[in-house]
Amino acid sequence: MSIEIRHGLRQNWQQFSLLVLVNAFVGAMIGLERAVMPGFAETVFQKQGQVVLLSFIGAFGIAKAFANLAMASLSKKYSRKMLLVAGWLLAIPVPFLLIYAESWSMVVVANILLGLNQGLAWSSTVIMKVDLVGEKNRGLAMGINEFAGYVSVGLAAYLASWLATEYGYQTAPFIPGIIFSFLGLLITLIWIRDTGHHVKKESVESRIPLLENVFIDTSYRHKTIGTVTINGLVNNMNDGVIWGLLPVLLINKGFSLTETGMLAGLYPAVWGLAQLFTGKLGDTHCKKQLISTGMLMQATGILILVIAPITFLVALSMILLGLGTALVYPNFLSMIANHSHPSQRAASLSIFRFWRDSGYVFGALVAGFTAAFAGIPTTLILVAIITGAAGLLSHFRMCCTNKTIWKETPCLEIY
């Protein structure tokens, strides 16, 4: 008996909801580390400063970036579900390695596995949701996806910081990771269905031209997709810098560990929550303007963070960073999906995510070397300038593809 293949959020709400839940567990895995890793390194292993930033953020970023790149070729050979299962299998050892780590090298290995998990599992859930919903509500779908992922990042960051405060750094903050990884794997194995048939149906109906060279076009040559990729790299570069330097900066300013955890969690929580609205906004308004505005908001938030002496201003900077990132993140993904042929979409999204998550590596390098030689404030100012420049690039190079309250720019030239 054949199953009718239909595209749409409403038509596939059960599978879509399960994928949202799975992605929440993916986000929670990384959230456990965001607020406590610098303190964990210093308390348990007596490691401080730039070496820590370069090793654990760099290892995570490189692993996640290359896992995303691998998805471009693996998606041609294996089903989406198989790759999602593989991502969860890589996640299961992570909390055990952190709990029982006897050397810093074990922490680095755990972060490599975590990066591989994030690359395979998050990419799979993104691609499968895009496969299910079709073009009409793609922005909303990506907003819901990123909402689930990044709200869970923020909540898990707060949970981990509270556990570290109450019970110490060595064991308690990472125990929830055992539950998250096993639940993610079980849900995937039992209830998630593959979306390959949806891709085949859409490929027959699609009028989007094939890219000449998926890697080159996605990386930089295509005026819209390439610019999205450049902005994605810069976005994650500044996220990597904030990830590494924010706890140190706030502690140096006199904030307590609990206050630091709450403020560090505010940024991804606002980022995640706002995407419920900014993703849908991208279905009705010009994604180009949303992306350029979001990058400029991030730059403003980073500059405020440099001068912020009190909790209110730090919270304001975190809110601006969260809102700015929320404007760009789901619209990055839906913009790539809307300009890619269904048969090339998984590859194009994976290549975009490779460059976007390479930003964590650049962020680790900037945070490590620039902060060591010029200080944290100068580092943040430099990152704000780069972020603002990327936003201006999107304004002048990209085009709008839907009806909008802003002036429409026809997408006649793609190179």
Side-chain angles (χ1 to χ4, degrees), residues 228-290:
V228 169
T229 299
I230 293 168
N231 273 263
L233 186 150
V234 172
N235 182 94
N236 277 30
M237 179 201 71
N238 72 45
D239 185 41
V241 171
I242 296 299
W243 180 4
L245 295 184
L246 180 63
V248 179
L249 177 68
L250 294 184
I251 290 172
N252 289 344
K253 286 177 178 283
F255 291 92
S256 69
L257 178 61
T258 301
E259 289 173 325
T260 298
M262 290 180 65
L263 290 167
L266 180 61
Y267 159 39
V270 171
W271 170 359
L273 181 61
Q275 286 177 114
L276 282 175
F277 309 98
T278 58
K280 180 59 179 176
L281 201 62
D283 289 329
T284 56
H285 292 74
C286 177
K287 293 182 178 67
K288 159 187 162 178
Q289 297 292 355
L290 296 176

Side-chain angles (χ1 to χ4, degrees), residues 6-16 132-133 137:
R6 297 183 298 170
H7 291 94
L9 188 56
R10 182 178 300 174
Q11 292 84 343
N12 297 283
W13 71 269
Q14 292 174 313
Q15 277 294 298
F16 187 89
L132 289 173
V133 301
N137 290 311

Side-chain angles (χ1 to χ4, degrees), residues 9 16 129-130 133-147 274-284 287 290 326-327 329-335 337-338 402:
L9 188 56
F16 187 89
K129 290 188 185 77
V130 169
V133 301
E135 184 176 353
K136 184 178 179 181
N137 290 311
R138 196 163 276 158
L140 175 61
M142 292 299 94
I144 295 172
N145 178 81
E146 302 302 292
F147 159 78
Q275 286 177 114
L276 282 175
F277 309 98
T278 58
K280 180 59 179 176
L281 201 62
D283 289 329
T284 56
K287 293 182 178 67
L290 296 176
L327 278 171
Y329 235 68
N331 292 304
F332 283 159
L333 296 168
S334 58
M335 193 71 132
N338 287 345
N402 51 2

Side-chain angles (χ1 to χ4, degrees), residues 49-62 233 236-245 357-372 379 383:
Q50 317 331 313
V51 173
V52 173
L53 295 175
L54 288 173
S55 58
F56 90 86
I57 299 178
F60 169 82
I62 291 170
L233 186 150
N236 277 30
M237 179 201 71
N238 72 45
D239 185 41
V241 171
I242 296 299
W243 180 4
L245 295 184
D357 292 326
S358 295
Y360 282 118
V361 182
F362 289 101
L365 292 171
V366 170
F369 289 114
T370 309
T379 301
V383 169

Side-chain angles (χ1 to χ4, degrees), residues 380-403:
L380 293 176
I381 292 171
L382 174 63
V383 169
I385 292 171
I386 295 172
T387 302
L392 293 176
L393 177 68
S394 68
H395 176 75
F396 289 109
R397 190 173 187 234
M398 290 170 61
C399 67
C400 294
T401 57
N402 51 2
K403 293 181 180 179

Side-chain angles (χ1 to χ4, degrees), residues 70-84 86 124 194 196 346:
M71 282 287 295
S73 57
L74 292 174
S75 61
K76 299 176 184 178
K77 301 177 183 179
Y78 304 101
S79 71
R80 271 67 154 150
K81 178 172 179 175
M82 291 175 65
L83 295 172
L84 183 54
S124 296
D194 193 59

